Amino acid sequence: MSQTLDRLTKQAQNNPLDSLEEWEEDLLNRYPDPNNIVQEGKTVEAYRNYETTTRNTVKEFYRLNHINQTYNFVLRKKENFLKLDKKEMSVWDAFEFLNQLVDDSDPDTDLDQLQHLLQTSEAIRADSHPDWMVLTGLFHDMGKVLCLFGEPQWATVGDTYPVGCAFSDKIVFSEFFTENYDHNNPLYNTKYGVYEPNCGLSNVQMSWGHDEYVYYMLKNYLPEPALYILRYHSFYPQHRENAYEHLMDQHDKEMFKWVKLFNPYDLYSKNPNPPDWQKLRPYYEDLAAKYLPSTLKF
C-alpha cells in the first residue's frame, strides 16, 4: 500500500496537469483573442486575472517548473537531449510517435497532436504566409515528444524564460521562484546575472522545454525567422510582457516580429473540427520534402 501511494505521489509531482493541453487552454484565458473579448463584453484585465481562472493543477505545474528550472538544470538537460541520439524516424512516423500524447482525460478536445498542429498550419496557410511558416506551424510542438522520453510535463511545456539571471515578476506565478536555488545565488539573481546588457538571446540560456528541443532538431533546415518561432513561441514573458528586452539585441527585436505574428495562430486555431489529413497530406509531404530530410533525429 505504501509503495503504491509513493508511486502515485511521484506521478502527480511529475505530471500535475490532467493533460498537456490544459496548459494551452490556460493560455487562452491569459491571452484571449481580442475579437472574442469584444463579443463577450469583457476586458483584457478580466481575462488575465490569473489567480481566479487557473486550475489547481496548472498552479502546481508552475510551482514545480519554477522550483526546478535552474541554470545548471538547463545545462544538464541540454547535454542529455541535444545530442539527438534517442531515436531516428521518418517525418511522418514522428507524428505517429507524437500522437501517443493524446490524453483521454482532456474534456475539451479529442483531436490528436497532428490534427491540432494541422489546424495551426492551415490557419497560417489560409492567410497566405510563406510556406516555411506553414511548415513551422506544423512542427512547432514536435518537441513535446520529450514526455515520451521520460521528461515530466513541467520540463516539457509551460511558459519559457531565461535562467542565469533574475526571474522577472512578469512570469506567471513568479512567487514560486523563491524556492528556486538560483533565486538566492548572487551569481544568478541580479538583473543581468551571467549575461551582459543586450547580449542577444543566442547567448542566453532559456528554461528547458519543447521549444529549445525542437529548435535544435530543425535548426539546420529552416530559415531564421522560423527558428525564432520554434525557439521562442512559449517565451510569453517577452513577447507578451516585454520583460527581457534588456537581454535582447537589435536583431532579436527584428526577429520577434515573426514570433508575435505566429502567436495568434498557435493560440486561437484550435477548434473541434478535424482537418482532412488524407486530402492535405500530398501538400504537406511536398512541403516537408522541400525543407527537411527524410528522417529526423530526436
Side-chain angles (χ1 to χ4, degrees), residues 155-174:
T156 301
V157 297
D159 296 18
T160 58
Y161 45 84
V163 294
C165 60
F167 300 111
S168 170
D169 61 7
K170 297 294 185 181
I171 302 171
V172 63
F173 290 123
S174 61

Side-chain angles (χ1 to χ4, degrees), residues 81-130:
F81 284 101
L82 298 188
K83 297 173 184 176
L84 301 178
D85 59 357
K86 308 299 180 189
K87 200 173 182 70
E88 185 168 353
M89 295 175 280
S90 74
V91 169
W92 307 112
D93 285 346
F95 281 109
E96 292 186 15
F97 187 57
L98 182 67
N99 279 344
Q100 295 178 45
L101 289 175
V102 172
D103 191 322
D104 292 337
S105 70
D106 185 356
D108 298 308
T109 181
D110 57 3
L111 300 184
D112 61 34
Q113 293 291 317
L114 175 59
Q115 290 172 324
H116 168 57
L117 294 174
L118 277 172
Q119 288 182 338
T120 303
S121 58
E122 280 295 286
I124 294 169
R125 182 185 177 194
D127 283 349
S128 301
H129 291 301

Side-chain angles (χ1 to χ4, degrees), residues 66-253:
H66 293 355
I67 290 173
N68 291 292
Q69 290 274 2
T70 65
Y71 186 80
N72 287 330
F73 171 84
V74 168
L75 295 184
R76 291 197 305 271
K77 289 299 181 181
K78 293 177 79 169
E79 172 64 21
N80 182 13
F81 284 101
L82 298 188
K83 297 173 184 176
L84 301 178
D85 59 357
K86 308 299 180 189
K87 200 173 182 70
E88 185 168 353
M89 295 175 280
S90 74
V91 169
W92 307 112
D93 285 346
F95 281 109
E96 292 186 15
F97 187 57
L98 182 67
N99 279 344
Q100 295 178 45
L101 289 175
V102 172
D103 191 322
D104 292 337
S105 70
D106 185 356
D108 298 308
T109 181
D110 57 3
L111 300 184
D112 61 34
Q113 293 291 317
L114 175 59
Q115 290 172 324
H116 168 57
L117 294 174
L118 277 172
Q119 288 182 338
T120 303
S121 58
E122 280 295 286
I124 294 169
R125 182 185 177 194
D127 283 349
S128 301
H129 291 301
D131 64 356
W132 58 258
M133 188 173 175
V134 177
L135 190 65
T136 302
L138 186 66
F139 276 85
H140 75 279
D141 278 346
M142 181 61 72
K144 289 181 181 180
V145 300
L146 282 168
C147 279
L148 300 174
F149 297 137
E151 285 295 88
Q153 291 174 15
W154 57 261
T156 301
V157 297
D159 296 18
T160 58
Y161 45 84
V163 294
C165 60
F167 300 111
S168 170
D169 61 7
K170 297 294 185 181
I171 302 171
V172 63
F173 290 123
S174 61
E175 64 270 22
F176 290 137
F177 285 117
T178 59
E179 299 181 62
N180 184 297
Y181 176 80
D182 291 354
H183 178 76
N184 296 312
N185 188 329
L187 182 62
Y188 303 129
N189 66 6
T190 62
K191 180 177 181 179
Y192 293 101
V194 298
Y195 310 115
E196 298 293 331
N198 303 113
C199 61
L201 292 178
S202 63
N203 296 305
V204 173
Q205 300 290 346
M206 298 294 294
S207 56
W208 175 247
H210 74 283
D211 298 48
E212 190 76 355
Y213 185 49
V214 74
Y215 161 74
Y216 272 89
M217 283 169 49
L218 300 179
K219 71 185 183 78
N220 294 325
Y221 309 118
L222 297 178
E224 188 178 25
L227 299 180
Y228 264 81
I229 291 170
L230 293 174
R231 198 175 199 180
Y232 301 114
H233 67 272
S234 301
F235 189 12
Y236 289 92
Q238 178 53 37
H239 62 71
R240 286 303 185 108
E241 304 292 349
N242 204 39
Y244 287 97
E245 188 170 3
H246 57 282
L247 296 179
M248 298 172 69
D249 59 22
Q250 190 57 42
H251 187 63
D252 292 328
K253 295 173 186 177

Side-chain angles (χ1 to χ4, degrees), residues 252-295:
D252 292 328
K253 295 173 186 177
E254 289 296 317
M255 288 293 102
F256 258 63
K257 295 176 183 178
W258 290 103
V259 180
K260 292 179 180 180
L261 176 63
F262 175 80
N263 180 248
Y265 296 105
D266 187 13
L267 288 182
Y268 310 126
S269 63
K270 185 183 292 187
N271 66 72
N273 301 313
D276 187 343
W277 170 234
Q278 294 307 314
K279 181 179 178 180
L280 295 172
R281 182 163 184 160
Y283 168 79
Y284 282 102
E285 286 182 336
D286 289 344
L287 182 57
K290 178 179 177 180
Y291 288 98
L292 302 178
S294 58
T295 61

Side-chain angles (χ1 to χ4, degrees), residues 17-24 101 103 144 147 153 157:
L17 301 181
D18 290 335
S19 75
L20 287 172
E21 277 64 42
E22 192 171 339
W23 167 68
E24 294 175 347
L101 289 175
D103 191 322
K144 289 181 181 180
C147 279
Q153 291 174 15
V157 297

